[in-house]
Amino acid sequence: MSLRVAIAGLKGHYGVALQGLEQLPEARLVAASDDDPEKLAGVPKYQRADESTHVYADWREMLDKEQIDILVENGVDSERHQVVLAAADRKIHCLTEKPLANSLPDLADIRRALRRSGIHLSMLLTMRFEPQYRLLRSVVESGEIGEVCLATAQKSYRLGVRPEWQKQKATYSGIIPFIGIHALDLIRWCTGREFTEVYACCANVGHPEMGDFEDEGHVVAKLDNGASASARLDYCRPAAAPTHGDDRLRVAGSKGVVESLWCGKQVTLIAQDQAPQELELPAVGENQFVNFVRSIRGECACDVPAEDCLRMTEVVLKARASARRGIPYPV
């Protein structure tokens, strides 16, 4: 059975879908859209593209003209909810960038559209598929560190060259929804705890030439068992750093501590009556796009289900509201 895939926007993690297409012989890239002609010029070289793959400057025209089974959305933050709503109206399954929406009313519209349409939806919370976090989650689930008492995460990136749409609040969601969502999702997913309240701050402190683009942020949260969590975010990693990002996650429990250290390539465990140990990482798991396709077919559960996408978008939008208003927000 053939699988017709299209990409709306070439601005995010659409490479995950392209890698997944390589593993699905029945899949074909039927179309792609973006407002950058240079990016569209490269589409014929993509996996599963061929001479019949069409390119569009506008995603609306693409949805009107193409027969699509799965849409991979990777456009600007401010348009995402419109793309999802349009796809839902056409019964097209969606794998989207994050956050799912740029406002709580838009998020509510998406929730209603999902109920009405019955489509499958997931979001590119790609860090769930990295072996170090899957290992860390399994350690917490095993009970080896006891009751979760504290969780802390970090995402530190090079600033690099940023597109114009990320320099304006009208089109960009901000540092907390854009990268903080990864850190906060890992806290929730790896600990199994739910957020109950968030307090946040963020600003552009050191890069005024970047306009509305925030170069730092911090979120503090309460968890449903009384524990606390925090995520620190920045785009201050020097250009000379050996990697683009330095991602970390630490979970402290009543019986021990497990953490993913520098750049996430090492997981260590300190448990009661045991010397610190470096744990062996599992093999790289399934590609997220492949997992999404298989879940649509009923072959497996979706590792990033729609309810998690809705919930995490709600959390980061309320954390952003907290930063803007200077008050804590229940979530």
Side-chain angles (χ1 to χ4, degrees):
M1 181 178 178
S2 64
L3 183 67
R4 297 164 298 192
V5 180
I7 303 175
L10 302 173
K11 305 183 187 305
H13 291 95
Y14 62 92
V16 172
L18 296 182
Q19 293 165 6
L21 285 169
E22 287 188 319
Q23 303 173 38
L24 298 167
E26 74 279 18
R28 187 171 71 86
L29 184 63
V30 298
S33 67
D34 197 80
D35 58 3
D36 185 340
E38 291 186 12
K39 289 185 177 180
L40 289 179
V43 170
K45 299 179 182 179
Y46 288 173
Q47 292 88 338
R48 303 297 178 199
D50 56 34
E51 64 279 356
S52 63
T53 301
H54 300 141
V55 296
Y56 298 87
D58 192 303
W59 58 266
R60 298 169 185 83
E61 182 182 5
M62 181 179 72
L63 293 188
D64 286 341
K65 291 185 175 180
E66 300 289 339
Q67 293 294 313
I68 302 167
D69 299 311
I70 296 178
L71 182 68
V72 181
E73 187 285 326
N74 278 250
V76 301
D77 295 350
S78 58
E79 290 190 1
R80 186 158 303 123
H81 77 287
Q82 299 175 37
V83 180
V84 174
L85 294 178
D89 284 343
R90 295 164 172 80
K91 309 293 186 185
I92 300 172
H93 305 301
C94 286
L95 176 62
T96 81
E97 257 297 350
K98 54 2 174 219
L100 192 55
N102 202 21
S103 73
L104 291 172
D106 290 345
L107 184 64
D109 287 343
I110 290 176
R111 188 183 293 274
R112 286 190 290 268
L114 293 180
R115 287 198 297 262
R116 182 173 62 249
S117 67
I119 66 166
H120 291 256
L121 177 137
S122 188
M123 189 167 64
L124 286 161
L125 292 173
T126 53
M127 297 182 77
R128 287 194 184 193
F129 292 82
E130 296 179 23
Q132 60 270 26
Y133 302 115
R134 294 200 163 227
L135 173 58
L136 193 151
R137 182 175 189 251
S138 70
V139 170
V140 176
E141 286 181 330
S142 74
E144 194 164 3
I145 66 165
E147 179 76 12
V148 171
C149 299
L150 175 70
T152 55
Q154 170 183 294
K155 288 194 74 66
S156 177
Y157 284 162
R158 294 171 180 156
L159 180 62
V161 178
R162 293 285 147 183
E164 287 303 312
W165 69 269
Q166 290 187 357
K167 300 176 184 179
Q168 303 172 49
K169 286 182 180 178
T171 49
Y172 176 55
S173 59
I175 192 170
I176 294 172
F178 195 67
I179 66 170
I181 195 169
H182 284 298
L184 293 167
D185 178 66
L186 284 181
I187 289 172
R188 180 175 181 262
W189 186 65
C190 289
T191 66
R193 307 309 324 184
E194 186 56 84
F195 297 109
T196 61
E197 188 176 67
V198 290
Y199 180 75
C201 55
C202 60
N204 181 338
V205 177
H207 302 87
E209 73 281 4
M210 299 299 291
D212 294 334
F213 187 85
E214 298 143 348
D215 58 14
E216 63 82 27
H218 203 152
V219 181
V220 178
K222 291 182 181 179
L223 303 180
D224 59 357
N225 68 337
S228 58
S230 66
R232 56 185 185 267
L233 321 165
D234 72 80
Y235 281 97
C236 300
R237 189 162 168 78
T243 60
H244 173 62
D246 182 5
D247 300 331
R248 308 183 186 212
L249 178 63
R250 179 180 185 270
V251 182
S254 57
K255 297 179 180 179
V257 175
V258 62
E259 56 189 321
S260 176
L261 295 172
W262 186 80
C263 299
K265 302 303 180 184
Q266 178 184 354
V267 176
T268 62
L269 172 66
I270 307 174
Q272 283 186 337
D273 304 321
Q274 294 182 24
Q277 55 181 309
E278 181 178 343
L279 305 181
E280 182 179 353
L281 293 178
V284 175
E286 189 172 45
N287 170 276
Q288 183 172 359
F289 180 76
V290 174
N291 173 260
F292 183 56
V293 171
R294 291 183 60 232
S295 70
I296 292 171
R297 293 172 173 170
E299 298 172 2
C300 68
C302 182
D303 283 355
V304 187
E307 195 54 42
D308 283 7
C309 305
L310 293 161
R311 175 58 176 161
M312 285 313 306
T313 299
E314 177 190 11
V315 168
V316 294
L317 291 179
K318 288 183 176 179
R320 185 185 67 183
S322 171
R324 291 177 177 177
R325 296 189 178 186
I327 59 174
Y329 262 70
V331 292

